[in-house]
Amino acid sequence: CIRQADCIIIVGLGEQEPTVGELERMLESSAVRAQKQLVLLHREDGPPPSGTAEWLNMRSWISRHHHLSCPRRVFSRRSLPKLRELYQRVFEKRPDRHSDFSRLARILTGNGIALVLGGGGARGCSQVGVLRALNESGIPIDMVGGTSIGSLMGALYAEDRSHTRMRIRAREWAMEMTSKFSKALDFTYPWASMFTGAAFNSSISNVFKSKQIEDLWITYFNITTDITASAMRVHTDGSLWRYVRASMSLSGYLPPLCDPKDGHLLMDGGYINNLPADVARSMGAKVVIAIDVGSRNETSLTNYGDCLSGWWLLWNRFNPLAEKVKVLNMAEIQTRLAYVCCVRQLELVRDSDYCEYIRPPIDHYGTLDFSKFDEISEVGYQHGKTLFDLWHRNSVVDSMLKDRHQEEFHKTKTGHVVTCPNASFTDLAEIVSRIEPVKNVLINEDQSDEYQTDYDEEAVESALSDLEAFAPSSEQTDGDETAETDEEVLDGVRRRRETSSQSSHL
C-alpha cells in the first residue's frame, strides 16, 4: 500500500519531542519514492509553533512541512459512537475555507493559492491594505513569498495570519523608519555603504525576535541576490529577521548581509526577482496573487545637465522662491535599478495564465515615504476592495477555489477508462488503462527477404551444411524416400527463414 502512495503524511504533535518512530525509520530505509510531508498539530489555544528545525533535521527525507492549529476535539479521547456523533454535527456545518485543514487539503491536491508581494520601499505599505481587502473578500492564502519590503509584509502575515495584528506591527516598524536620530547615529565612512546597518538590523530583529522561517504558520519564502555566487537565493528556512533584512538591503545604503550558513554576501532580492510569482508557482501553487509596488517609468524628471550638486538641491529645496526641480534620490535610483533588472521577468509573470496581477495606484509615493503609512495603506485597501468585488462578479474567485483535478476529469475524453473519478492524486492504474494494446503487423511474404538479418543467413547456411552432411549417409535408403526427406528439410528451412524475418520486422 505504501509503495503505491503518491504522498506519505507523517503526523506529529508539535508540543512533543521530535523522536523518530519505528515506522519512520522503516520509510527512511525503504526505497519508497513517494514524497513525504510532515504535519505538526498544535492546540488552538496553545503557543505558536517552535522548534520545527529539530523535527526536520532528524528527518532529512521530508520534502515539506505544515503547521495546523487544531480545536480541542482533535486531542480528546472518545469512544467510537461519541466520535461519530461529534463529527456528524461537524460535517453538518459549512466547511471553513480559511481553516488550516482546508489549507492542507488544497496544498496536497495541488490547488494552493499563493500570495507574492513585490519590493518598492514605502509603497509596500499598500500591501497591508490589499491584504485587508483580500481577507474580507474570503480568498484564502496557502503560501506567502516576497522580495524586499514584500518579504517583511509577507513574513508578518505568515506569522500572525491576522490582518489586524499585522497592520499594528507594520505601522510600528514604518514609524521607526522615519526616525532621523537613529539614522544619524548609524552613519559610517562610506566604504561599502552609508550606514553600518546596525540600526536597521535592530528594527527588523525587534519585530521577529528569534523566530525561524520553519516556525511560521503559513509556508513562506523570500528572495535575495547572492553577489558572491551571482545567483538568486530562495530562503525557506533559517533566521527570519536575517533573511528579511538581506532581502531589503539596498546597495549604497546598507552593507550586504553575510549568510550565516555559507558566508555568501546577500543583497536586496529586487535586483534579480522583484516579484517572484514564478518561484511560488514552482513550489506547487495553482494560482498566484502578485502585488507589484515597484517603480515605474518616470519621464518628468529635471534635466540638470552633466553634473549635479547636492548642495544646490538642498538650497533649492528650502528656498521658497527657487524653481522646484525633480531629481531622483539614492533610494529611488536603487529601486528603479531593481525594476530595470526585472522588467522582462515581470512581463512574463504578468502575462502568465496562473498569475493574478495587482498594481495599486501608488506611483506618486516615494520610496522612503514611510511617514505616510496610513494614507498608502488606505489606497491599497480601496483598490483591493474594488478589485476583489469585480473578481467575485466575474467568477474569478470561484475559479481559484475550483479543484483542478475535477476540471481535468471533466475534460477527459469519453473513450478513456477512468478508474476513480474522485481521485485527487495521480492514479497509476488509470494511466496504464489508457495505453492502447500493441497491434500486430502483417508482413507480405514477397517482402520478407528484405528484413532478413545476418543471423538468419547464418542459420540457413548452417542448415544447408547439415543437410549436405546428412546426404551421404542416406545413400543406402530408397531414392524416393531420400528425395522426400530432403524436400521436407528444405521446407523446414524456408519456414524458419520466414518466421525469423517476421520476428525481425516486429
Side-chain angles (χ1 to χ4, degrees), residues 361-478:
I362 36 79
D363 292 336
H364 58 283
Y365 293 103
T367 303
L368 300 178
D369 284 344
F370 289 102
S371 60
K372 301 178 181 179
F373 176 89
D374 294 331
E375 180 182 343
I376 299 175
S377 176
E378 183 64 22
V379 171
Y381 172 69
Q382 295 298 333
H383 178 77
K385 186 177 180 180
T386 303
L387 179 63
F388 298 143
D389 288 343
L390 184 63
W391 282 10
H392 277 286
R393 290 197 298 269
N394 294 336
S395 301
V396 176
V397 177
D398 294 337
S399 178
M400 288 182 181
L401 299 174
K402 187 177 296 183
D403 188 351
R404 69 181 182 91
H405 295 280
Q406 292 295 331
E407 293 178 356
E408 293 174 358
F409 168 72
H410 291 300
K411 294 178 182 178
T412 304
K413 295 182 180 179
T414 56
H416 289 168
V417 179
V418 181
T419 58
C420 185
N422 294 324
S424 296
F425 291 104
T426 304
D427 192 343
L428 296 179
E430 177 184 347
I431 297 176
V432 173
S433 66
R434 293 182 180 180
I435 300 177
E436 297 182 359
V438 179
K439 298 180 180 179
N440 295 327
V441 181
L442 298 178
I443 302 176
N444 190 350
E445 294 181 358
D446 297 335
Q447 300 176 352
S448 61
D449 291 341
E450 298 178 2
Y451 300 94
Q452 187 175 8
T453 62
D454 295 338
Y455 177 81
D456 298 331
E457 294 177 356
E458 294 176 1
V460 173
E461 292 175 359
S462 177
L464 291 176
S465 62
D466 292 342
L467 178 60
E468 293 175 357
F470 176 78
S473 62
S474 60
E475 291 178 355
Q476 297 178 358
T477 61
D478 185 62

Side-chain angles (χ1 to χ4, degrees), residues 195-208:
F195 301 98
T196 66
F200 190 75
N201 293 353
S202 178
S203 68
I204 300 295
S205 61
N206 289 339
V207 173
F208 298 112

Side-chain angles (χ1 to χ4, degrees), residues 222-329:
N222 70 11
I223 304 296
T224 62
T225 302
D226 187 341
I227 61 175
T228 301
S230 301
M232 180 181 73
R233 295 281 294 273
V234 181
H235 303 281
T236 57
D237 60 83
S239 175
L240 179 58
W241 81 262
R242 283 186 172 87
Y243 289 122
V244 169
R245 189 279 204 195
S247 186
M248 301 176 67
S249 302
L250 280 177
S251 175
Y253 269 78
L254 297 172
L257 184 135
C258 297
D259 193 332
K261 296 180 180 179
D262 53 20
H264 285 204
L265 301 180
L266 305 179
M267 291 294 297
D268 196 303
Y271 295 120
I272 197 166
N273 195 340
N274 199 47
L275 194 65
D278 55 331
V279 177
R281 176 69 170 182
S282 67
M283 294 175 65
K286 171 193 170 185
V287 179
V288 180
I289 301 174
I291 305 177
D292 179 24
V293 294
S295 299
R296 285 292 183 91
N297 295 332
E298 180 64 64
T299 58
S300 59
L301 299 176
T302 301
N303 185 352
Y304 52 79
D306 299 329
C307 59
L308 178 64
S309 171
W311 300 111
W312 172 73
L313 289 174
L314 186 63
W315 167 255
N316 184 277
R317 180 177 180 180
F318 291 103
N319 184 5
L321 302 179
E323 182 181 357
K324 298 302 179 183
V325 296
K326 190 172 184 180
V327 179
L328 297 177
N329 58 32

Side-chain angles (χ1 to χ4, degrees), residues 143-155:
M143 181 192 305
V144 180
T147 297
S148 195
I149 186 68
S151 69
L152 172 71
M153 299 302 179

